[in-house]
């Protein structure tokens, strides 16, 4: 058993308290490899932001569970070496079983999500509670989910979304004992969040549902998945240099900024990082066909990723400058 505290990680409790009281959101950035992790840590150290390092089941399989434990410990030590003490959480994204959550807890995760949003309500409660009961013995925090997001979540693909029902949240939170709750108010996973016709604008998030939820569970930590903005500049670069991402569109940054000022205290971003990396790699390889040293294209991609995360922390989530106060 690897205890996350021995790796220098923290659970999400203090971070969410700070975010709820401070009117900002903690960034939860997904990673699968070393360059992404370096970019997240460097960006969060430079902008003094608390951070949640997020790993999906697929990412864990890709990177290897033992490697991940050491990467997380390395990330903590790298931040320290840079003279920073920002709080760092290692979180399982979209856990789909008790066994996976348990295995993550045993290998150093300080926070896990049990995503039972596709299950019937009572089954979601029972499975989430089972994970909470186990996780809390080790001081590991747990995120649950109510309402379904459209898009792809690991191997699960949902064609249509269903918004979270405000009348269910209080009962769910009480009966499961979760530490945070992911909700569905119009975000979705991936780079194609809306199918827009010519001249159509992105529909606004359902802030009315968010307000209803806040009233039912005041001060409770709310999580937004599917919160990439699908930055047009990256999509354009990808398409210019041989890619094909026609019609990719995300959540406008002003809407995320508004959400971050409310009870939303964790915002999940994966696709924007993927787009930034791909854009830069495509650009370098197209402009410099002689390059075959991975550092020559992964290095610039890592730099662009860092800039992206600093921008998010400063201008979208508002988490920049809140790292020190939480340590
Ligand atoms: O919500 C899903 C995340 O973007 C992770 O995606 O399962 O392809 O690693 P993944
Ligand atoms: P995006 O696909 O919008 O980046 O969402 C990521 C996410 O929700 C990870 O759990
Ligand atoms: Zn998600």
């Amino acid at each position: 058993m690897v205890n996350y505290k021995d790796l220098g990680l923290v659970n999400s409790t203090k971070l969410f308290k700070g975010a709820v009281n401070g009117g900002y959101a903690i960034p939860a950035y997904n990673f699968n490899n070393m360059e992404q992790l370096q970019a997240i840590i460097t960006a969060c150290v430079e902008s003094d932001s608390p951070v949640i390092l997020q790993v999906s089941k697929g990412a864990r399989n890709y990177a290897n569970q033992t490697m991940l434990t050491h990467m997380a410990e390395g990330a903590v030590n790298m931040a320290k070496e840079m003279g920073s003490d920002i709080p760092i959480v290692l979180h399982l994204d979209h856990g789909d079983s008790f066994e996976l959550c348990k295995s993550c807890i045993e290998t150093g995760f300080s926070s896990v999500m049990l995503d039972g949003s596709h299950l019937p309500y009572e089954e979601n409660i029972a499975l989430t509670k089972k994970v909470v009961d186990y996780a809390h013995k080790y001081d590991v925090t747990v995120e649950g989910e109510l309402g379904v997001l459209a898009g792809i979540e690991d191997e699960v693909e949902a064609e249509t979304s269903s918004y979270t029902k405000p009348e269910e949240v209080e009962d769910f939170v009480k009966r499961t004992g979760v530490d945070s709750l992911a909700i569905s108010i119009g975000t979705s996973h991936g780079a194609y969040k809306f199918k827009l016709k010519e001249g159509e604008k992105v529909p606004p998030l359902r802030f009315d549902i968010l307000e209803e939820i806040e009233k039912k569970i005041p001060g409770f930590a709310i999580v937004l998945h599917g919160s990439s903005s699908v930055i047009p500049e990256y999509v354009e670069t990808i398409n210019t240099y041989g890619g094909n991402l026609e019609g990719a569109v995300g959540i406008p940054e002003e809407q995320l900024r508004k959400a971050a000022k409310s009870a939303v205290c964790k915002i999940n971003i994966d696709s924007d990082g993927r787009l930034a990396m791909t854009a830069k790699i495509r650009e370098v390889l197209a402009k410099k066909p002689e390059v075959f040293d991975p550092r020559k294209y992964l290095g610039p991609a890592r730099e662009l990723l860092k800039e992206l995360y600093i921008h998010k922390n400063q201008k979208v989530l508002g988490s920049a400058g809140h790292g020190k106060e939480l340590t």
Side-chain angles (χ1 to χ4, degrees), residues 102-272:
K102 181 172 179 281
S103 167
C104 285
I105 292 166
E106 286 168 353
T107 52
F109 281 62
S110 58
S111 178
V112 293
M113 175 189 195
L114 187 284
D115 180 357
S117 61
H118 299 86
L119 298 173
Y121 184 66
E122 288 298 330
E123 281 177 40
N124 186 0
I125 290 191
L127 184 54
T128 307
K129 184 178 180 332
K130 189 176 173 189
V131 170
V132 169
D133 289 346
Y134 181 81
H136 282 183
K137 280 194 231 161
Y138 299 97
D139 211 10
V140 167
T141 37
V142 180
E143 176 182 324
E145 181 166 341
L146 268 181
V148 180
L149 272 70
I152 302 158
E153 294 178 354
D154 247 328
E155 286 112 47
V156 186
E157 187 168 353
E159 282 280 318
T160 46
S161 68
S162 60
Y163 297 126
T164 305
K165 297 184 184 120
E167 62 274 19
E168 285 181 351
V169 295
E170 196 183 350
D171 181 63
F172 184 86
V173 163
K174 269 199 187 136
R175 286 172 61 197
T176 57
V178 283
D179 304 281
S180 59
L181 180 68
I183 60 163
S184 171
I185 57 164
T187 62
S188 60
H189 291 105
Y192 300 89
K193 300 195 190 296
F194 306 97
K195 282 195 182 91
L196 298 177
K197 295 199 189 91
E198 187 78 14
E200 248 179 15
K201 276 197 176 160
V202 169
L205 296 178
R206 291 291 303 271
F207 284 100
D208 57 322
I209 299 178
L210 176 59
E211 269 170 39
E212 283 301 304
I213 292 170
E214 275 192 70
K215 277 188 209 147
K216 301 278 185 192
I217 43 173
F220 194 78
I222 303 292
V223 178
L224 267 198
H225 283 247
S227 296
S228 280
S229 295
V230 187
I231 297 169
E233 195 188 317
Y234 302 151
V235 175
E236 228 177 274
T237 306
I238 289 172
N239 290 342
T240 302
Y241 295 107
N244 181 7
L245 297 179
E246 290 312 325
V249 53
I251 313 291
E253 290 188 339
E254 319 81 71
Q255 295 208 27
L256 296 167
R257 185 75 207 99
K258 184 173 165 189
K261 285 181 180 163
S262 73
V264 169
C265 68
K266 171 175 179 271
I267 290 190
N268 286 11
I269 296 171
D270 187 1
S271 297
D272 276 342

